[in-house]
Amino acid sequence: MAYSEKIIEHYEHPRNVGSLPKDASNVGTGIVGAPECGDVMKLQIQVDEATGRIVDAKFKTFGCGSAIASSSLATEWLKGRTVDQALDIKNTDIVQELALPPVKIHCSVLAEDAIKAAIADYRQKQGGETVGEPQLHGNKIG
Amino acid sequence: MAVKLPIYMDNNATTPVDPRVLEAMLPYFTQKFGNAASRNHCFGWEAEDAVDKARQQCAALIHADAKEIIWTSGSTESNNLAIKGVAGMYADKGKHIITAMTEHKAVLDPCKRLQKEGFDVTYLQPGRDGVIYGEQLRQALRPDTILVSLMWANNEIGTLNEIAEIGRVCKEREVIFHTDATQAVGKVPIDVEAAGVDLLSSSGHKLYGPKGIGYLYVRRKRPRVRLTPILDGGGHERGMRSGTLNVTGIVGMGAACEIAGREMAVEGTRLKALRDKLEKGIVSGLEGHGVHVNGHPERRIPHTSNISFAWVEGESLMMAIKEVAVSSGSACTSASLEPSYVLKALGIGDELAHSSIRFGLGRFTTEEEVDYVIEHVVAGVKKLREMSPLYEMAQQGIDLSKVEWSAH
C-alpha cells in the first residue's frame, strides 16, 4: 500500500520526539496500546498552569509509519491549545489530514486515546478532576 | 561505484526470471506455439518434445523420473492437489492428516477445508528453532493417518525440517509423505528417493523461472501414489491435472531447474557467505543489542535470514529502508492485522513477531547491496529506537512483560 506524502513527511521528519519529566505536576503522560498489538504510543503534554495552555508536547511511538505520523501530528496540534480545546481533537481529523487508509484508522484512534490519557493524567495531578471517558486512562507502569 | 537502487532482497517471495531462462522460452510464444496434446502434426510434436525435455530437467534436479512430474500452475495448486487428492483417494483407509503450524497457507487451508469435511488434522508445533523432527512426527502418527504434509524449508525463516528422518518414519508406517519444497528446490540438494518423499510441490518463480508454472512430483513406484484430480477435463498429466499445458512456462521451469542443478553448489556457498555477512554486520552494528535471528541458526536454506529487532515495529523499519524491498512479519504488512503465525508458532512472542524482517538474498544480489542494507538497517533501527517508548522503558530497566498494557 502506498503512503500519502503527509505520512511520509511526518515519518521522515517527526515533530516533537522526546520525553518530558513525567513526575512534574504540570506534565500529563498518556501511554496507550500494547507491544503484542504492534503499537504503543506515549504522548506527553506540558501545561502552563496559569493559563491552562499546552506549552509543549512530546511523543514516542512504537508502531508503523502511520502510527508515528499520527502521534507526530497530534503533538503539533496540541501545542498552543488549552486543555479543553485539546479534547476537541478527534481521530477523524487525523485520518483526514494524513489521508490514512481504512486499515490504518486504528492508528488515529490510538492517537486520540493517547491525548485523552495524557489529559486525564494531567487533571488527576491537578486535583482529581475526571474527564469524560475514564476507561481510556493510560497504562500503569512500574 | 554507487549501488543501484532500489535493491531487491525479497527472493523468498519471488525471483526475477534468469535471462537464460527467458531466452529458452521465447521461441515457444511465437514460432513453436503448438499444443503439446496435438498428436497429429509437427507443431504439436515440437511442443511435446519441449515439454518432455523440461520434465527430464525438473525430474533430474530432485532425482525423480520424468514420468513422475505433473505440471500445475504453481505450488498452491500442487499443494491442493496433493492434499485433497490423497484425501479423496485414500479416505477409506483413514481420515487423519498430520501437518505443522508453520506450513504455508496453501497447505494449511486445504487441511482446514478437509477438517470441515470430516477429516481430523494434527498441527505439529515446532520449538524455538522452527524445525519439525522425525521423532515428533512419530509420536503424532495414528493407525488412521493417511497423509503427512511437512515442508522442506520454511518460507518465512528458511528453516529446514528433518526431512530424511520424516520420510523414514512415514515409510515405516506406510503413510504417504507430501512435502512443500517451494523454497528448497534449486537451493539445496533434493533426492526424493533418499528422503522417502512421495509427493513434492515446486514452483517456477522461486528459482528464477516464470510465474504461473509449477509441478507436483507424484511417486510411481514403492508405493504408486494415486490422487483424485481437482480438475476434470481432457485427462492430461496421467489424468491428475487436466488442462492444456503451459508450454512456455514449462520450458522456462525446465531451463530454470537445469541451471539450478549446475550452479546450486557454487551459488549456495556465495549466498551463504553474503547472508552471514549481512547478519554479522547488522548484529555488530547494533552491538548485539535486541537483535534475534529467528529459526535454526544452521539448519537453514543459505539465502534467507529472518531477524527481529526488539522495540522497533517491522513496517516502520521497512519505511526506514524504503530503497530495499524486504518482507516483515509485522501485522501492519498483512491484511489480517495479525503478526506472522509462523513466528508466533515458534513462541518468540507477538512483540518480536511484529518486529521481524525477512531478508531474501538471491542470484543477482551483490556484496555492495549487502553493505548498503547493513548500513541502512542499522541506522533505521537506531533512529526508530530513539523514537520508541519501549526502548526508553527498557533503558530505564522496566520489565516490559510486567507492564499492564491496555489492549485495543
Side-chain angles (χ1 to χ4, degrees):
Chain A
M1 154 189 46
Y3 282 108
S4 74
E5 276 174 33
K6 278 184 178 158
I7 296 177
I8 293 169
E9 209 274 319
H10 270 281
Y11 172 82
E12 286 181 347
H13 309 284
R15 331 291 197 251
N16 309 310
V17 174
S19 296
L20 296 167
K22 69 176 165 62
D23 296 327
S25 66
N26 66 335
V27 169
T29 302
I31 299 181
V32 294
E36 60 268 26
C37 300
D39 30 36
V40 175
M41 277 182 198
K42 184 186 83 165
L43 196 146
Q44 294 182 299
I45 52 169
Q46 186 173 2
V47 182
D48 178 336
E49 282 159 302
T51 63
R53 276 189 194 280
I54 295 168
V55 290
D56 202 0
K58 297 273 186 208
F59 84 94
K60 284 201 173 190
T61 289
F62 163 83
C64 64
S66 301
I68 290 171
S70 296
S71 33
S72 169
L73 177 66
T75 57
E76 217 175 25
W77 280 353
L78 282 168
K79 283 197 206 177
R81 292 192 186 220
T82 65
V83 172
D84 286 333
Q85 287 166 347
L87 287 169
D88 294 338
I89 298 173
K90 293 286 173 257
N91 84 290
T92 45
D93 305 331
I94 296 170
V95 170
Q96 204 168 12
E97 175 69 16
L98 295 176
L100 291 179
V103 67
K104 296 295 183 187
I105 286 172
H106 72 276
C107 297
S108 68
V109 174
L110 207 58
E112 185 184 320
D113 288 353
I115 292 172
K116 286 182 177 156
I119 291 170
D121 181 53
Y122 168 74
R123 287 193 166 157
Q124 201 171 25
K125 281 181 180 173
Q126 295 289 310
E129 193 188 334
T130 52
V131 247
E133 295 167 84
Q135 73 273 24
L136 289 174
H137 281 253
N139 306 292
K140 296 177 198 115
I141 292 176
Chain B
M1 197 186 82
V3 64
K4 190 170 167 287
L5 301 175
I7 292 168
Y8 187 71
M9 208 171 267
D10 201 13
N11 285 281
N12 300 88
T14 193
T15 56
V17 171
D18 188 301
R20 295 168 290 180
V21 169
L22 179 65
E23 192 70 22
M25 290 170 69
L26 285 174
Y28 292 90
F29 283 102
T30 48
Q31 276 100 46
K32 307 179 182 182
F33 58 85
N35 185 333
S38 296
R39 286 279 159 77
N40 300 303
H41 54 66
C42 59
F43 292 87
W45 302 330
E46 195 171 46
E48 195 184 15
D49 286 348
V51 168
D52 285 347
K53 182 184 170 195
R55 236 187 261 281
Q56 296 279 1
Q57 290 167 316
C58 291
L61 186 59
I62 59 167
H63 292 84
D65 186 272
K67 295 193 189 81
E68 297 174 309
I69 302 295
I70 302 295
W71 301 115
T72 66
S73 59
S75 282
T76 293
E77 186 189 337
S78 300
N79 290 336
N80 271 270
L81 178 57
I83 294 164
K84 294 174 184 169
V86 166
M89 187 59 74
Y90 298 94
D92 55 341
K93 287 184 71 182
K95 289 197 149 192
H96 182 232
I97 295 168
I98 300 174
T99 183
M101 292 164 77
T102 43
E103 291 290 316
H104 193 274
K105 289 279 183 195
V107 165
L108 294 176
D109 286 358
C111 287
K112 283 187 190 139
R113 182 178 295 275
L114 289 172
Q115 276 179 295
K116 287 186 193 144
E117 293 170 10
F119 285 82
D120 195 9
V121 181
T122 299
Y123 299 92
L124 301 176
Q125 180 169 17
R128 281 292 276 263
D129 66 5
V131 180
I132 301 288
Y133 293 93
E135 188 50 36
Q136 189 182 1
L137 169 67
R138 192 189 300 276
Q139 288 169 17
L141 282 167
R142 304 192 322 211
D144 61 337
T145 308
I146 54 166
L147 174 68
V148 167
S149 180
L150 293 167
M151 67 204 329
W152 201 294
N154 184 272
N155 52 303
E156 287 195 31
I157 53 178
T159 304
L160 293 157
N161 282 334
E162 202 184 29
I163 290 296
E165 189 57 29
I166 290 168
R168 200 159 19 248
V169 171
C170 289
K171 281 284 153 300
E172 265 171 36
R173 303 283 290 265
E174 295 183 357
V175 174
I176 294 173
F177 175 30
H178 166 247
T179 185
D180 175 1
T182 310
Q183 297 288 345
V185 172
K187 312 297 165 66
V188 291
I190 288 184
D191 184 333
V192 290
E193 286 306 323
V197 170
D198 298 315
L199 297 160
L200 177 147
S201 303
S202 178
S203 218
H205 75 103
K206 304 286 192 195
L207 66 152
Y208 312 96
K211 294 168 184 62
I213 185 68
Y215 66 78
L216 179 66
Y217 155 80
V218 182
R219 178 175 287 279
R220 291 179 83 227
K221 281 183 205 150
R222 288 168 284 121
R224 180 183 183 89
V225 178
R226 295 159 67 219
L227 300 174
T228 304
I230 294 172
L231 300 177
D232 295 313
H236 309 73
E237 301 298 286
R238 294 164 50 205
M240 291 192 225
R241 205 280 194 174
S242 289
T244 298
L245 292 179
N246 169 7
V247 178
T248 47
I250 289 167
V251 168
M253 178 137 197
C257 285
E258 193 189 307
I259 294 168
R262 258 196 331 262
E263 302 183 355
M264 184 165 54
V266 173
E267 186 169 289
T269 307
R270 186 183 82 89
L271 290 179
K272 183 177 184 301
L274 285 182
R275 193 267 316 270
D276 292 349
K277 178 180 181 174
L278 177 78
E279 285 182 350
K280 284 199 188 95
I282 288 172
V283 169
S284 71
L286 294 168
E287 289 155 7
H289 203 40
V291 193
H292 310 270
V293 175
N294 295 313
H296 197 288
E298 282 94 40
R299 286 190 72 97
R300 278 192 289 170
I301 38 179
H303 59 292
T304 305
S305 178
N306 187 306
I307 306 180
S308 288
F309 300 93
W311 315 301
V312 170
E313 198 277 331
E315 193 202 33
S316 65
L317 182 54
M318 283 173 75
M319 275 179 91
I321 51 168
K322 63 177 192 293
E323 296 293 351
V324 186
V326 291
S327 280
S328 170
S330 155
C332 294
T333 62
S334 74
S336 65
L337 292 181
E338 278 290 316
S340 155
Y341 65 88
V342 171
L343 295 175
K344 283 174 77 166
L346 307 191
I348 66 166
D350 282 16
E351 183 200 336
L352 283 178
H354 280 291
S355 303
S356 72
I357 298 282
R358 179 186 67 187
F359 301 91
L361 285 67
R363 184 172 290 166
F364 306 104
T365 302
T366 65
E367 185 156 14
E368 288 71 33
E369 289 177 335
V370 169
D371 290 336
Y372 178 98
V373 172
I374 292 171
E375 185 191 330
H376 286 78
V377 166
V378 169
V381 170
K382 283 183 175 167
K383 174 190 157 168
L384 290 167
R385 282 184 179 169
E386 284 312 310
M387 222 187 275
S388 168
L390 303 181
Y391 184 65
E392 185 179 60
M393 290 177 197
Q395 295 292 92
Q396 291 165 356
I398 295 169
D399 182 350
L400 294 173
S401 65
K402 301 239 163 67
V403 176
E404 198 181 308
W405 302 103
S406 64
H408 62 285

